[in-house]
Each structure stands twice: as structure tokens, then as C-alpha cells.
Amino acid sequence: ADLLPRKEVDFTLGSFSTKRGTADLNLPVNQTTSFRVVGLVEDSGSYRYPQGVEKQGLAPSLRLGIGTATDITLSYYYLKTNDVTDYGQPTLFTNPNMGGIGFRGITPVSPRTYYGSALRDYTDHETNIATFTVDHKFNRNVSIRNTLRSANYKRDLEATIPSLFGTDANGNPVTRATPLNLLIARSNHDGGRSRTN
């Protein structure tokens, strides 16, 4: 929050069903006090179907003593997101049975291809942060600031890991010499990848 009056609204429309709106409202109460609130809502897709993101956010703040020796700010930050977990495309790694460990490359598939499980995979985040700051100036050269913050972060996700079959398109075991165009990618849902923090 500051002493500059402000009322702003912004809308964004774009490719892949991108829809995003933000608002910023700053309201000076008097010569030393101001209230501000910023909001966000988004519901957007992606070039990798069924990828996308949903977001809701709110950030109010109250500032007291602006321009005085003691400046106090109380603020809150909230953001919630809902996504589809995407571990990307299958990458190729050699293993000890193939004569060493190392990165070989990316399988020759379209970057639009999704290898997760659209019915089961998700990533949900929720963040809450409350902050109390006191800034006191004794003189032009000496000041002291104290910030007290409480935060809570929640994450819940389930993921499918893209991997490769052990045999190629001709039924032969995969080795270092197997051409990339004969490799077969698969979606491997891993219950061990579920996380709630």
C-alpha cells in the first residue's frame, strides 16, 4: 500500500483458452494510511493437452504511518493453484545392462503428446502468508525494522512418470544401439509419486 490512488483492472485472453484477470485497488485513507488489495483469477489451457492451470489469488495490505518515523504494514498473501501434473516426455538413459549410465536423448515424439494420466494426475497448491512489519527511523542514518511472518504451504499431487518399454518396436531388447525411432514410450502411473505436504 502507498499514497498513490490507483484502480486498475487487466484482462488477458490468448491461445489455448488462456483467460486471466487481475485487479489492483489502492485506496489512501488519509495522509499517512492506505489500504491496498490485489486480486488474480486465471483459467488457462496449454499446448500440451490436457495441461492447464487454474489460479485464484488475493493480497490485501494495510499500511499505517506512511512518511512518519514509524511505518507499520500488515499484509496477507493467498494463492491457490490447480494443475495437471506433467513429468514431460520420456528421456533416454542407459543403465548398467546397456554398458554405462548416462543421458542419451529425448524420444522422437511430438512435444504436444502428454504421457500422464489425465484422470488421475493433479497438482494442487495452497499458500497463505501473513506478515507484520514495523520500520522505525530514529534519524536519517539509523533505523530498525522488524518483520514477523507466519506462512502455511500445502501441496497435494499425484503423478504418472513417462518411461520406455524394455523392448523396441520389433520386439528386441533395448540397448545403446537401439535407434530412437524404434523405442516405445509408455505412461507408468507410480503410486509412490503421490505427495501430500
Side-chain angles (χ1 to χ4, degrees), residues 62-85:
L62 176 65
R63 191 171 165 198
L64 310 167
I66 300 172
T68 68
T70 303
D71 192 322
I72 299 172
T73 302
L74 298 99
S75 63
Y76 188 77
Y77 173 96
Y78 172 80
L79 180 65
K80 182 176 182 180
T81 64
N82 302 103
D83 307 306
V84 177
T85 310

Side-chain angles (χ1 to χ4, degrees), residues 82-149:
N82 302 103
D83 307 306
V84 177
T85 310
D86 187 357
Y87 273 54
Q89 299 167 284
T91 51
L92 307 178
F93 287 88
T94 58
N95 60 45
N97 297 329
M98 297 179 192
I101 299 175
F103 176 71
R104 283 189 61 199
I106 304 292
T107 50
V109 295
S110 168
R112 292 180 182 265
T113 303
Y114 175 67
Y115 286 92
S117 173
L119 298 178
R120 294 190 290 184
D121 293 353
Y122 62 90
T123 302
D124 298 335
H125 293 92
E126 185 172 323
T127 302
N128 290 272
I129 304 173
T131 305
F132 174 65
T133 301
V134 178
D135 193 342
H136 180 73
K137 295 179 177 61
F138 294 97
N139 55 49
R140 291 182 57 188
N141 301 313
V142 180
S143 65
I144 186 170
R145 172 180 290 185
N146 184 69
T147 299
L148 176 65
R149 176 169 291 141

